[in-house]
Each structure stands twice: as C-alpha cells, then as structure tokens.
Amino acid sequence: MILRQSLLMRALAHRGEHMMKTLLSPVTAGKLQLNHRVVMAPTTRMRTKQGGVPGDLMTEYYRQRANQGGLLIAEATAVSPFANAYEDAPGIFTDEQQAGWQRLVEAVHARGSQIVLQLWHPGRQSLPELSAGHQPIAPSALVARETYGVVKNEQGVYEGRLFPVPRALELDEIQGLMKELRQAAIRARAAGFDGVELHAANGYLPEQFLLDGSNQRTDSYGGSLENRARFLLESVGVLTDIWGPGRVAVRISPSGIYGDMHDSDPTATFRYLVGQLNQFELAYLHIIEPRIVGPEDREAGYYAEPVASRDLRAFYQGKIIAAGGFKPEDAESTLQKGEADLIAFGRLFTSNPDLPERIRNAFPLAAYNRDAFFGGDERGYSDFPAYSPLVPKDLLV
Ligand SMILES: Cc1cc2nc3c(=O)[nH]c(=O)nc-3n(C[C@H](O)[C@H](O)[C@H](O)COP(=O)(O)O)c2cc1C
C-alpha cells in the first residue's frame, strides 16, 4: 500500500515538474537569486501584536511559506505613524516593529527563502483613528469614494469605515514624507530584509500622485505626466540611495480602480512610468493585472487575460512579476509566452503554505477562507496544513 502510494506520488511529481517547467525553474531578479518563480504576493492579514509589531503568530505564518527557496513579499507595512488604514496592520517606524520584523526575517532565512518588505503610505486612504488623530494627506483634497478602512469598535469587532476628505499636501511637506520613507528603508535593511518594494499600487499615495483622477496640483508634482510621476520616482530614488541596485522593487496596478482611482489615459501614464523606472536597476517591477480589484476578481470576462504585463513588457527592461487571478496553468503559459518572469500568488498562498511544493507535485490546492482574510487569530491563517493525502476532499479547489 505504502509502496503504491509512493509510486503514485513520484508519478504526480514528474507530471507537475514537466507541466510547470518554467514556473519551477530558477531565476535571478536583480540581486535576488531564486530557486523558482512562484512568489508569495503581499497580503495584509491584520494580525500584528499591539503597536503594529509582528509577533510569533505572523512569524509562524511566514515561516510556513518559506520552505522552497523562493521569494516572499511581506504585507503592506506603514512607513509613517500618521497614515494607516487597517487596524493591526504592521509598521516599520519604531524599534519594536523593527525587532519584530527581524525575528520574522530570520525565521524565513533559516528555511532558505528570501523576503522583501512592502513599504506603504496610504495617503488619502488613511483613518485618523489609526493615524495618531491626523487628517489624511493626499496630493489634492479629493476623497476616495466608497472605499473603506478597518478599525476595531468598542466591542472589539472589526468594522469598515469610510475615509474622510484628505488635506492637500503643501509643497514643503513632501521632503518630510521622503524622510519618513528613507527612515523606513534604513530600518528594513537593519531588520535583515533582502529588499524593499514600494507600494505604488491599489490607490495608495504614490499612485494618488501619478493618476490625474486624484492629482489636481498645479505645482511641480501635478499637471503634466512628468510632474505627476515625480513623487513616485523620487520615492524610488530614496530607496535605491539606501539599498543600491538590484534590491528595490515597485508594485503598480495599471488600470486598477480600487480606491476610487482613475486616469484620463492609463496606457500612456503607465508606459511612461515604467520607461522611467529603467534608470534605477530595480530587483523587479511587480504588475497587478486589471482583472483584479484590490483583493477581488472583476466580473468574469472583463480582462480575462493578463493584459498589463503583456503591454508593459515592451517598455521595461528588467524582470517582471505579474500578479492577479493566476492559477498554476495560466501562470506557466504567461511565463512561456515571455510576458512575465515570475508570478505572484495572493489568495492561493493564504491556504496553501506549501504552494510551490504542491505545484511541483501536481497536488490539489486547498480553498482559501475569505472570512479569515482580515484580522483574527491562527484560524484561517497559520492553521492550513501542508498537503497530505489525508486532507478531506471538501477542502480542495
Ligand atoms: C487578504 C488580502 C490582502 C491583500 N493585501 C495586499 C497588500 O498588503 N499589498 C498589496 O500590494 N496587495 C495586497 N493584496 C492584493 C494581492 O497581493 C494580489 O494582488 C491579489 O490578491 C490578486 O492576486 P490573487 O488572485 O493571486 O489572489 C491583498 C489581497 C488579499 C486577498
């Protein structure tokens, strides 16, 4: 019986490796040398200890997902005490937060994987309740309509709250924001990360500057495309100053609408931006496909194909990670067509801690638990097991 099972496992492994040849092949992205191309996408899970400090629960979660010599991108992490959108999301602006991250990074490294920190300033998507009472700041005083942050109410239950109208930044405040980012980059390096990823996607501050739907400034940070891209590009410059070449990355969401984002000509905007990013020798450019809105799929049929990485490939010279709605099969075909170099998986990694191993062995994938995405304890978080033939069938997608 045991012999028959191990023969079956070997046959499945052979099939998986054969079918996912490119996805499972090694790759170098800047200074990151990776055994395979299955990346864990950044996923906010709202499970820090008090004060935005990553604790044992988070360390265990990332440790479980770090056993295959790949790349993990740690969740959106606040660079400023004055800008946060989700209660119990992590920060990187205090000594305690830095020390918590350091323990987590050590656990990931001990299992042979690499980890990059996603640096996050939500701008107009900030709640004063989570931002030391400060009104959100943004390029212009334009609210993100129908967009919610999450706070715990008096009963300790998480609830969504609309973001208030932000205050337009004064020109002389921008250098202060760059200083915060710089400090966060220094702390991330001290915590032992392998790199940092600027969160310039999903309607957060750098993208608020970039798109003309959220930027009506008339100074050097608004108006022309060149001016609107300035904040984002200066941010990347700050990060590469600290980290040098090959260890800084940028995440973008071309044609994304999450956070009430829009632009009069997204194709031109993103082509220009990624062309400008060529000057920095990034580790990678991370592109969210517009078939995804934040953590949700768009309606079926709307951009069913991964169109953004395909389009931007011609304008960007470095490595590209594509993300958004991928299953192993279309991940493999996207790589084989040369439209991206690595694929990031978000929701599937939440429920499959051993995702690369499952792909390698053609094992079935466990269904994710949407109810446990944001906030809570180990349930629906670190209690998903690695694959075993004994897992009940109803857990599998
Ligand atoms: C629970 C959850 C939290 C997320 N948090 C982040 C985040 O912190 N930063 C980010 O850039 N994207 C975040 N995303 C988006 C994912 O990185 C990814 O782009 C999205 O889930 C689509 O990929 P998928 O279809 O593989 O899940 C989140 C998505 C989910 C489901």
Side-chain angles (χ1 to χ4, degrees):
M1 172 66 186
I2 289 172
L3 179 66
R4 219 186 298 146
Q5 192 171 324
S6 82
L7 282 175
L8 176 68
M9 304 271 259
R10 274 223 304 266
L12 285 174
H14 182 70
R15 198 183 77 185
E17 278 188 52
H18 180 67
M19 286 167 58
M20 302 296 160
K21 214 167 56 191
T22 322
L23 193 55
L24 296 172
S25 66
V27 67
T28 301
K31 296 232 163 96
L32 308 174
Q33 290 188 351
L34 306 166
N35 289 349
H36 59 78
R37 295 157 189 249
V38 180
V39 176
M40 180 175 133
T43 35
T44 294
R45 305 300 304 275
M46 295 164 45
R47 279 172 169 85
T48 60
K49 295 197 301 190
Q50 203 70 17
V53 178
D56 293 345
L57 180 61
M58 273 176 69
T59 297
E60 175 58 12
Y61 179 76
Y62 282 89
R63 193 195 65 79
Q64 291 170 350
R65 283 153 183 75
N67 61 350
Q68 292 288 316
L71 176 65
L72 312 185
I73 305 173
E75 64 208 78
T77 296
V79 299
S80 165
F82 309 120
N84 202 332
Y86 310 111
E87 185 125 26
D88 299 326
I92 183 85
F93 51 82
T94 70
D95 291 346
E96 293 73 25
Q97 292 164 350
Q98 184 182 319
W101 279 119
Q102 186 169 343
R103 283 188 293 272
L104 187 153
V105 169
E106 281 163 8
V108 168
H109 285 166
R111 299 198 78 199
S113 283
Q114 300 191 45
I115 180 163
V116 157
L117 184 64
Q118 189 182 54
L119 297 178
W120 177 54
H121 193 304
R124 70 180 186 173
Q125 288 195 56
S126 302
L127 287 172
E129 300 90 311
L130 304 175
S131 310
H134 284 232
Q135 185 185 2
I137 48 105
S140 302
L142 296 167
V143 72
R145 292 163 300 176
E146 291 178 30
T147 313
Y148 297 83
V150 182
V151 285
K152 248 188 227 155
N153 66 19
E154 272 120 52
Q155 287 75 46
V157 178
Y158 291 102
E159 65 180 30
R161 291 212 186 134
L162 283 167
F163 298 113
V165 178
R167 176 176 70 75
L169 281 160
E170 301 293 339
L171 185 59
D172 63 7
E173 290 179 286
I174 288 178
Q175 281 322 302
L177 292 172
M178 293 299 160
K179 235 189 227 161
E180 276 180 344
L181 183 63
R182 187 182 179 81
Q183 213 44 49
I186 292 170
R187 283 190 181 278
R189 205 181 46 176
F193 279 99
D194 299 288
V196 285
E197 177 181 283
L198 179 71
H199 197 345
N202 295 345
Y204 298 120
L205 189 60
E207 197 184 36
Q208 290 161 28
F209 272 93
L210 182 66
L211 303 197
D212 59 16
S214 44
N215 183 347
Q216 295 178 346
R217 299 179 76 88
T218 52
D219 60 14
S220 55
Y221 289 88
S224 66
L225 187 43
E226 192 186 1
N227 282 354
R228 284 186 280 122
R230 190 180 310 283
F231 182 88
L232 199 165
L233 296 172
E234 282 183 4
S235 300
V236 179
V238 164
L239 299 180
T240 51
D241 256 9
I242 304 295
W243 279 86
R247 295 203 178 268
V248 172
V250 177
R251 191 171 214 216
I252 57 173
S253 45
S255 303
I257 55 170
Y258 181 77
D260 192 19
M261 297 304 287
H262 42 103
D263 189 75
S264 55
D265 190 353
T267 304
T269 298
F270 283 95
R271 286 179 177 178
Y272 171 79
L273 177 74
V274 307
Q276 292 298 308
L277 289 175
N278 285 320
Q279 64 188 288
F280 292 107
E281 290 184 65
L282 298 178
Y284 59 83
L285 171 66
H286 191 173
I287 300 174
I288 306 176
E289 291 294 339
R291 60 185 172 181
I292 290 287
V293 183
E296 307 293 336
D297 295 326
R298 274 194 192 179
E299 330 69 271
Y302 189 81
Y303 289 131
E305 296 267 296
V307 291
S309 46
R310 181 183 303 164
D311 177 62
L312 293 174
R313 186 59 137 176
F315 300 87
Y316 182 69
Q317 285 147 16
K319 292 290 194 296
I320 289 179
I321 303 182
F326 283 99
K327 303 275 185 299
E329 293 71 25
D330 66 333
E332 175 68 19
S333 70
T334 295
L335 296 182
Q336 282 192 9
K337 282 186 267 176
E339 293 169 5
D341 304 288
L342 305 99
I343 303 290
F345 296 86
R347 291 165 295 180
L348 284 179
F349 245 117
T350 66
S351 50
N352 296 279
D354 54 342
L355 184 60
E357 188 64 10
R358 290 195 194 213
I359 294 173
R360 190 178 301 283
N361 292 298
F363 291 156
L365 302 181
Y368 45 81
N369 176 1
R370 190 177 292 280
D371 293 341
F373 275 174
F374 300 110
D377 51 22
E378 73 284 356
R379 284 169 295 175
Y381 185 59
S382 55
D383 63 351
F384 282 102
Y387 177 75
S388 142
L390 304 177
V391 173
K393 287 252 178 327
D394 59 359
L395 268 183
L396 307 175
V397 286

Coordinates of all heavy atoms in Angstrom, one line a residue, residues 40-45 73-77 86 118 120 197 199-202 204 251 286-289 291-297 323-327 344-350 368 370 372-374, ligand 1:
M40 N 5.2 34.7 -3.3 CA 4.1 35.0 -2.4 C 3.8 36.5 -2.5 O 4.6 37.3 -2.2 CB 4.4 34.6 -1.0 CG 3.2 34.9 0.0 SD 3.6 34.2 1.6 CE 3.1 35.6 2.6
A41 N 2.6 36.8 -2.9 CA 2.2 38.2 -3.1 C 2.0 38.8 -1.7 O 1.6 38.1 -0.7 CB 0.9 38.3 -3.9
P42 N 2.1 40.2 -1.6 CA 1.9 40.8 -0.3 C 0.4 40.7 0.1 O -0.4 41.0 -0.8 CB 2.3 42.3 -0.5 CG 2.2 42.4 -2.0 CD 2.5 41.1 -2.7
T43 N 0.1 40.3 1.3 CA -1.3 40.1 1.7 C -1.4 40.6 3.2 O -0.9 40.0 4.1 CB -1.8 38.7 1.6 OG1 -0.7 37.8 1.9 CG2 -2.3 38.4 0.2
T44 N -2.1 41.7 3.3 CA -2.5 42.3 4.6 C -3.4 41.3 5.3 O -4.4 41.0 4.8 CB -3.2 43.6 4.4 OG1 -2.3 44.6 3.8 CG2 -3.8 44.2 5.7
R45 N -3.0 40.9 6.5 CA -3.8 40.0 7.3 C -4.2 40.5 8.6 O -4.9 39.8 9.4 CB -3.1 38.6 7.4 CG -2.7 38.0 6.1 CD -3.8 37.7 5.1 NE -4.8 36.9 5.7 CZ -4.8 35.5 5.7 NH1 -3.8 34.9 5.1 NH2 -5.7 34.8 6.2
I73 N 6.9 38.3 -0.4 CA 6.8 39.7 -0.3 C 5.9 40.0 0.9 O 4.7 39.6 0.9 CB 6.2 40.4 -1.6 CG1 7.0 39.9 -2.8 CG2 6.2 41.9 -1.4 CD1 6.4 40.4 -4.1
A74 N 6.5 40.6 1.9 CA 5.7 40.8 3.2 C 4.7 41.9 2.9 O 4.9 42.8 2.1 CB 6.7 41.2 4.3
E75 N 3.6 41.8 3.7 CA 2.4 42.6 3.5 C 2.7 44.1 3.7 O 3.7 44.5 4.3 CB 1.4 42.2 4.5 CG 1.8 42.4 6.0 CD 1.2 41.5 7.0 OE1 1.6 40.3 7.0 OE2 0.2 41.9 7.6
A76 N 1.8 44.9 3.2 CA 1.9 46.4 3.2 C 2.2 46.8 4.7 O 1.5 46.5 5.6 CB 0.6 47.0 2.8
T77 N 3.2 47.6 4.8 CA 3.8 48.0 6.1 C 3.9 49.5 6.2 O 4.6 50.1 5.4 CB 5.1 47.2 6.4 OG1 4.8 45.8 6.4 CG2 5.7 47.6 7.7
Y86 N -5.7 50.1 8.2 CA -6.2 48.8 8.7 C -5.7 48.6 10.1 O -4.4 48.5 10.3 CB -5.8 47.7 7.8 CG -6.2 48.0 6.4 CD1 -5.2 48.2 5.4 CD2 -7.5 48.1 6.0 CE1 -5.5 48.5 4.1 CE2 -7.8 48.4 4.6 CZ -6.8 48.6 3.7 OH -7.1 48.9 2.4
Q118 N 7.2 45.3 1.8 CA 6.4 46.2 1.0 C 6.2 47.5 1.9 O 5.5 47.5 2.9 CB 5.0 45.7 0.6 CG 4.4 46.6 -0.4 CD 3.0 46.1 -0.8 OE1 2.1 45.8 0.0 NE2 2.8 46.0 -2.1
W120 N 4.6 51.1 2.6 CA 3.3 51.6 2.3 C 2.9 52.9 3.0 O 3.1 53.0 4.2 CB 2.3 50.5 2.8 CG 0.9 50.7 2.8 CD1 0.2 51.0 1.7 CD2 -0.1 50.5 3.8 NE1 -1.2 51.0 2.0 CE2 -1.3 50.7 3.3 CE3 0.1 50.2 5.2 CZ2 -2.5 50.7 4.1 CZ3 -1.1 50.1 6.0 CH2 -2.3 50.4 5.4
E197 N 9.9 46.8 -1.5 CA 9.1 47.0 -2.6 C 8.2 48.2 -2.3 O 7.5 48.3 -1.3 CB 8.1 45.8 -2.8 CG 7.1 46.0 -3.9 CD 6.2 44.7 -4.1 OE1 6.6 43.7 -4.7 OE2 5.0 44.8 -3.7
H199 N 5.0 50.3 -2.4 CA 3.6 50.0 -2.8 C 3.1 51.2 -3.5 O 2.7 52.2 -2.9 CB 2.8 49.8 -1.5 CG 1.5 49.1 -1.7 ND1 0.9 49.0 -3.0 CD2 0.7 48.5 -0.9 CE1 -0.2 48.4 -2.9 NE2 -0.4 48.0 -1.6
A200 N 3.1 51.1 -4.8 CA 2.7 52.2 -5.7 C 1.4 51.7 -6.4 O 1.1 52.2 -7.5 CB 3.8 52.7 -6.7
A201 N 0.7 50.8 -5.8 CA -0.5 50.2 -6.5 C -1.7 50.5 -5.6 O -1.7 51.2 -4.6 CB -0.3 48.7 -6.6
N202 N -2.9 50.0 -6.1 CA -4.1 50.0 -5.3 C -4.6 51.3 -4.7 O -5.2 51.3 -3.6 CB -4.0 48.9 -4.2 CG -3.9 47.5 -4.9 OD1 -4.2 47.4 -6.1 ND2 -3.5 46.5 -4.1
Y204 N -2.9 53.9 -3.3 CA -2.2 54.5 -2.2 C -1.3 55.7 -2.7 O -1.4 56.1 -3.8 CB -1.4 53.4 -1.5 CG -2.3 52.3 -0.9 CD1 -2.2 51.0 -1.3 CD2 -3.3 52.7 0.0 CE1 -3.1 50.0 -0.8 CE2 -4.2 51.7 0.4 CZ -4.1 50.4 0.0 OH -5.0 49.4 0.5
R251 N 5.6 48.1 -7.0 CA 4.4 47.5 -7.4 C 3.4 48.5 -7.9 O 3.1 49.5 -7.3 CB 3.8 46.7 -6.2 CG 2.6 45.8 -6.6 CD 2.1 44.9 -5.5 NE 1.7 43.7 -6.0 CZ 0.7 42.9 -5.6 NH1 0.0 43.3 -4.6 NH2 0.3 41.8 -6.2
H286 N 6.6 44.9 -10.3 CA 5.6 44.0 -9.9 C 4.2 44.6 -10.5 O 3.9 45.7 -10.1 CB 5.6 43.9 -8.4 CG 4.7 42.8 -7.9 ND1 4.7 42.5 -6.5 CD2 3.8 42.0 -8.4 CE1 3.8 41.5 -6.3 NE2 3.3 41.2 -7.5
I287 N 3.6 43.9 -11.3 CA 2.4 44.4 -12.0 C 1.1 43.6 -11.6 O 1.1 42.4 -11.8 CB 2.6 44.3 -13.5 CG1 3.8 45.1 -14.0 CG2 1.3 44.8 -14.3 CD1 4.1 45.0 -15.5
I288 N 0.1 44.3 -11.1 CA -1.1 43.7 -10.8 C -2.0 43.8 -12.0 O -2.2 44.9 -12.6 CB -1.9 44.3 -9.6 CG1 -1.0 44.4 -8.4 CG2 -3.2 43.6 -9.3 CD1 -1.6 45.1 -7.2
E289 N -2.5 42.7 -12.5 CA -3.4 42.7 -13.7 C -4.7 43.3 -13.4 O -5.3 43.0 -12.3 CB -3.5 41.2 -14.2 CG -2.3 40.6 -14.8 CD -1.8 41.3 -16.0 OE1 -2.7 42.0 -16.7 OE2 -0.6 41.3 -16.4
R291 N -7.6 42.6 -14.1 CA -8.7 41.7 -13.9 C -9.0 41.5 -12.4 O -10.0 40.8 -12.0 CB -8.5 40.3 -14.6 CG -7.3 39.6 -14.0 CD -7.0 38.3 -14.8 NE -5.8 37.7 -14.4 CZ -5.3 36.6 -15.0 NH1 -6.0 36.0 -15.9 NH2 -4.2 36.1 -14.6
I292 N -8.2 42.2 -11.6 CA -8.4 42.1 -10.1 C -8.6 43.5 -9.6 O -8.0 44.5 -10.0 CB -7.1 41.5 -9.5 CG1 -6.9 40.1 -9.8 CG2 -7.0 41.8 -8.0 CD1 -7.9 39.2 -9.1
V293 N -9.5 43.7 -8.6 CA -9.7 45.0 -8.0 C -9.5 44.8 -6.5 O -10.2 44.1 -5.8 CB -11.2 45.4 -8.1 CG1 -11.4 46.8 -7.5 CG2 -11.6 45.5 -9.6
G294 N -8.3 45.3 -6.0 CA -8.0 45.0 -4.6 C -7.9 43.5 -4.4 O -7.2 42.8 -5.2
P295 N -8.5 43.0 -3.5 CA -8.5 41.5 -3.3 C -9.5 40.8 -4.0 O -9.7 39.6 -3.8 CB -8.6 41.4 -1.8 CG -9.3 42.6 -1.3 CD -9.1 43.7 -2.3
E296 N -10.3 41.4 -4.9 CA -11.4 40.7 -5.5 C -11.2 40.5 -7.0 O -10.6 41.3 -7.7 CB -12.7 41.5 -5.4 CG -13.1 41.9 -4.0 CD -13.4 40.7 -3.1 OE1 -13.8 39.7 -3.7 OE2 -13.2 40.8 -1.9
D297 N -11.8 39.5 -7.6 CA -11.8 39.3 -9.1 C -12.8 40.3 -9.7 O -13.9 40.6 -9.1 CB -12.4 37.9 -9.4 CG -11.5 36.8 -9.0 OD1 -10.2 37.1 -9.0 OD2 -12.0 35.8 -8.6
A323 N 0.9 39.6 -11.3 CA 0.0 39.1 -10.2 C -1.4 39.3 -10.6 O -1.7 40.3 -11.3 CB 0.4 39.8 -8.9
G324 N -2.3 38.6 -10.0 CA -3.7 38.8 -10.1 C -4.5 37.8 -10.8 O -4.5 37.7 -12.0
G325 N -5.1 36.9 -10.1 CA -6.0 35.9 -10.6 C -5.3 34.7 -11.3 O -6.0 34.0 -12.1
F326 N -4.1 34.5 -11.0 CA -3.3 33.4 -11.6 C -3.6 32.1 -10.9 O -3.7 32.0 -9.7 CB -1.8 33.6 -11.7 CG -1.4 34.6 -12.7 CD1 -1.2 36.0 -12.4 CD2 -1.3 34.2 -14.0 CE1 -0.8 36.9 -13.4 CE2 -0.9 35.1 -15.0 CZ -0.7 36.5 -14.7
K327 N -3.7 31.0 -11.8 CA -3.7 29.6 -11.3 C -2.4 29.1 -11.9 O -1.8 29.7 -12.9 CB -4.9 28.8 -12.0 CG -6.2 29.4 -11.6 CD -6.7 28.9 -10.3 CE -8.1 29.4 -9.9 NZ -8.3 30.8 -9.8
A344 N 3.2 36.1 -9.0 CA 2.9 36.2 -7.6 C 1.5 35.7 -7.4 O 0.6 36.0 -8.1 CB 3.0 37.6 -7.1
F345 N 1.3 34.9 -6.3 CA 0.0 34.3 -5.9 C -0.4 34.9 -4.6 O 0.4 34.9 -3.6 CB 0.1 32.8 -5.8 CG 0.4 32.1 -7.1 CD1 1.8 31.9 -7.5 CD2 -0.6 31.6 -8.0 CE1 2.1 31.3 -8.7 CE2 -0.3 31.0 -9.2 CZ 1.1 30.8 -9.5
G346 N -1.6 35.5 -4.5 CA -2.1 36.0 -3.2 C -2.9 35.1 -2.5 O -2.5 34.4 -1.6
R347 N -4.2 34.9 -2.9 CA -5.2 34.1 -2.2 C -4.8 32.7 -2.1 O -4.9 32.0 -1.0 CB -6.5 34.3 -2.8 CG -7.1 35.7 -2.6 CD -8.3 36.0 -3.5 NE -7.9 36.0 -4.9 CZ -8.7 36.3 -5.9 NH1 -10.0 36.5 -5.7 NH2 -8.3 36.3 -7.2
L348 N -4.2 32.1 -3.1 CA -3.8 30.7 -3.1 C -2.8 30.4 -2.0 O -2.7 29.3 -1.4 CB -3.4 30.2 -4.4 CG -4.5 29.9 -5.4 CD1 -3.9 29.4 -6.8 CD2 -5.5 28.9 -4.9
F349 N -1.9 31.4 -1.8 CA -0.8 31.2 -0.8 C -1.4 31.3 0.6 O -0.8 30.7 1.6 CB 0.3 32.3 -0.9 CG 1.6 31.7 -1.3 CD1 2.2 32.0 -2.5 CD2 2.3 30.8 -0.4 CE1 3.4 31.5 -2.9 CE2 3.5 30.3 -0.8 CZ 4.1 30.6 -2.0
T350 N -2.6 31.9 0.8 CA -3.1 32.0 2.1 C -3.5 30.6 2.6 O -3.4 30.3 3.8 CB -4.4 32.9 2.2 OG1 -5.5 32.4 1.5 CG2 -4.1 34.3 1.7
Y368 N -9.3 28.8 -0.2 CA -9.0 29.8 0.9 C -10.3 30.2 1.6 O -11.4 29.9 1.2 CB -8.3 31.1 0.3 CG -8.9 31.6 -1.0 CD1 -10.0 32.4 -1.0 CD2 -8.3 31.3 -2.2 CE1 -10.6 32.9 -2.2 CE2 -8.9 31.8 -3.4 CZ -10.0 32.6 -3.4 OH -10.5 33.0 -4.6
R370 N -12.1 33.2 2.9 CA -12.2 34.7 2.8 C -12.6 35.3 4.1 O -12.1 36.4 4.4 CB -13.3 35.0 1.7 CG -13.4 36.4 1.3 CD -14.5 36.5 0.2 NE -14.0 35.8 -1.0 CZ -13.2 36.4 -1.9 NH1 -12.7 37.6 -1.7 NH2 -12.8 35.8 -3.0
A372 N -11.6 34.8 6.9 CA -10.4 34.9 7.9 C -9.3 35.8 7.3 O -8.3 36.0 7.9 CB -9.9 33.6 8.2
F373 N -9.6 36.5 6.1 CA -8.5 37.3 5.5 C -8.1 38.4 6.4 O -6.9 38.6 6.6 CB -9.1 37.9 4.2 CG -9.0 37.0 3.0 CD1 -9.5 37.4 1.8 CD2 -8.3 35.8 3.0 CE1 -9.5 36.7 0.6 CE2 -8.3 35.0 1.9 CZ -8.8 35.4 0.7
F374 N -9.0 39.1 7.0 CA -8.6 40.4 7.7 C -8.9 40.3 9.2 O -10.0 40.4 9.6 CB -9.3 41.6 7.0 CG -9.0 41.7 5.6 CD1 -10.0 41.5 4.6 CD2 -7.8 42.1 5.1 CE1 -9.7 41.6 3.2 CE2 -7.5 42.3 3.8 CZ -8.4 42.0 2.8
Ligands
LIG1 C1 -6.3 39.3 2.0 C2 -5.6 40.1 1.0 C3 -4.7 41.1 1.4 C4 -4.0 41.9 0.5 N1 -3.1 42.8 0.9 C5 -2.3 43.4 0.0 C6 -1.2 44.2 0.4 O1 -0.9 44.3 1.6 N2 -0.4 44.8 -0.6 C7 -0.7 44.6 -1.9 O2 0.0 45.2 -2.7 N3 -1.7 43.8 -2.3 C8 -2.5 43.2 -1.4 N4 -3.5 42.3 -1.9 C9 -3.6 42.0 -3.3 C10 -2.7 40.7 -3.6 O3 -1.3 41.0 -3.4 C11 -3.0 40.3 -5.0 O4 -2.6 41.2 -5.9 C12 -4.4 39.9 -5.2 O5 -4.9 39.0 -4.2 C13 -4.7 39.2 -6.6 O6 -3.9 38.0 -6.6 P1 -4.5 36.5 -6.4 O7 -5.6 36.4 -7.5 O8 -3.4 35.6 -6.6 O9 -5.1 36.5 -5.1 C14 -4.2 41.6 -0.9 C15 -5.1 40.6 -1.3 C16 -5.8 39.9 -0.4 C17 -6.7 38.8 -0.8

